[in-house]
Structures are given as C-alpha cells and as structure tokens.
Amino acid sequence: MKLVLTVTFALLTFCGTLFAQQAIQLNDPDMSRGSSLMQSLQQRKSVRSYSEKPLSTQDLSDLLWAAYGVNRPDEKKRTIPTASNVQDIDLYLFTAEGIYLYDASENMLNPVLEGDFRAEAGIQDFVGTAPVTIVIVSDLSRYRRGDEAARRRYAAMHTGSVSQNISLFCAANNMGTVAIGMLDYDAVKERLGLSETQIVKLSHPVGFLE
C-alpha cells in the first residue's frame, strides 16, 4: 500500500531542503469531491488573484489526477485523449520550495530543482505568488509517425485538453486558475533542462479563491 501523506504545503515549508530533494507520494484521488460538471462549466472563469491558503497533498493529488492522471490503470490510459495514445504531455509543478515532475503512473511528484522559480512560469506578477503553477510540456519525440508540423498540432490539442481539465477541476472546488501563454518559453525550457523535442506549451497558476 502506498504511503499517504496528509501534511500540507504550509507544514512542509519547515523542512524545505528535505521537501525539495525527496519524491512525494501523492494520495489516491478523491472521486467524491467537487460540484457537478454542469455547475463547473457554469462557474469556470479566468482567475488571477488567489488566497494565500496552501494546497494540501490531497488537493494536489486530485488536481493533477484531474489534469492528466491515469483513470484506467489496467490500460494505462489517461483523463485526456492523445493521438495514437502517445501520452506526450508532462506536467511540471512549480512551488515555493521547488519544481517537481508529475509521475502519473506512480502517482508521485519527483523533484527537479530546489528553489522558488514560480515567477518564471509567467511574465505577469501574480504568477510568482500563486501557491502552485503547473507548466505543461509536450515531448514530440514520443510520436511514432507524422512530421513535426502534425506533431505540434496534436500537441496543441492535448495541451488544450489538459488545460480544460485543470480549469474545470478548479471551478468545481473553490479554486481559481487561468491559462498563461505569456511566459519566456526559452527561459523555462532552460530552467527545466528540457531537450530539443520537449516544447513548453502553457502554464496554469492555481490557488483557492479569495
């Protein structure tokens, strides 16, 4: 049985170095939380101001699972469709303590860098103070056919699906978010140490509503 961590980000800041150097086992997603789909669609909006309330491990578990988690473990299929099931998307989580890569198959956050790089996930000031920001990356090398132009078109479609999942989850759970296209893509790519085939697509700051 996987270890379940219930300590919040607020508590984890007391051991920032340890936090940023160790993988975090996420909780199983809570399938009972949130409002209905129709209510979420009605409430969905772009939000650029967030409460200082931290996201708990359960909040992150549910948010990331909704965005791009494994919803059919036997088939290793995700909460979004991808062309020929290439699963080209990676999600990087920027926090005050460090950057993490979401491992959906193991339901974990793996450390990438220690430090607060939230401000680099968007050029607007509010991005740097959002509790967390999700950066969406597509790896074109995972495609098995098609030229680069076709791969980029599919990557844009997949990014849109993840973006909408994040937005609907937030709308259903008293959280706010907005899709950010205004960021220094090359700087983020360099910060994350991405390869030439890995393309930064969007970022999503997330926090509770004020």
Side-chain angles (χ1 to χ4, degrees):
M1 179 180 296
K2 293 181 178 179
L3 176 65
V4 175
L5 300 180
T6 57
V7 66
T8 67
F9 267 58
L11 294 176
L12 285 166
T13 57
F14 286 106
C15 53
T17 301
L18 179 65
F19 175 86
Q21 292 178 345
Q22 292 188 351
I24 300 171
Q25 181 67 64
L26 295 171
N27 300 355
D28 291 336
D30 179 359
M31 302 299 184
S32 66
R33 74 181 291 178
S35 59
S36 72
L37 175 60
M38 296 300 282
Q39 290 172 321
S40 300
L41 288 166
Q42 192 277 328
Q43 294 165 1
R44 193 224 62 81
K45 60 183 178 181
S46 296
V47 179
R48 296 174 175 83
S49 180
Y50 315 106
S51 165
E52 294 182 358
K53 177 182 176 181
L55 275 67
S56 70
T57 304
Q58 189 66 58
D59 294 326
L60 289 177
S61 301
D62 297 344
L63 168 65
L64 293 167
W65 182 87
Y68 190 54
V70 176
N71 65 349
R72 288 155 290 170
D74 291 345
E75 302 175 79
K76 299 181 180 180
K77 298 291 183 69
R78 304 295 190 100
T79 57
I80 71 158
T82 56
S84 300
N85 194 33
V86 294
Q87 299 190 15
D88 58 308
I89 298 296
D90 288 313
L91 301 184
Y92 289 85
L93 188 74
F94 284 53
T95 78
E97 289 75 35
I99 300 175
Y100 297 86
L101 176 61
Y102 177 49
D103 182 343
S105 61
E106 297 297 329
N107 197 31
M108 297 185 71
L109 288 174
N110 292 319
V112 176
L113 283 174
E114 181 180 359
D116 187 353
F117 303 102
R118 290 175 296 170
E120 297 181 6
I123 65 173
Q124 296 162 297
D125 290 342
F126 73 90
V127 180
T129 59
V132 300
T133 293
I134 299 171
V135 172
I136 305 172
V137 172
S138 172
D139 189 347
L140 303 185
S141 71
R142 296 178 191 168
Y143 288 82
R144 296 178 289 277
R145 56 179 178 270
D147 59 19
E148 183 172 344
R151 295 179 182 194
R152 285 179 177 269
R153 285 196 298 272
Y154 285 123
M157 292 167 53
H158 305 160
T159 299
S161 294
V162 172
S163 177
Q164 186 72 320
N165 281 6
I166 294 170
S167 295
L168 290 176
F169 175 85
C170 289
N173 290 282
N174 196 41
M175 294 181 186
T177 190
V178 60
I180 299 292
M182 298 174 64
L183 64 157
D184 187 333
Y185 291 91
D186 291 336
V188 174
K189 187 182 184 79
E190 183 176 357
R191 176 67 68 191
L192 296 176
L194 302 181
S195 69
E196 286 302 311
T197 63
Q198 292 177 286
I199 311 300
V200 178
K201 304 298 290 184
L202 282 177
S203 69
H204 262 275
V206 174
F208 284 97
L209 298 179
E210 293 183 309

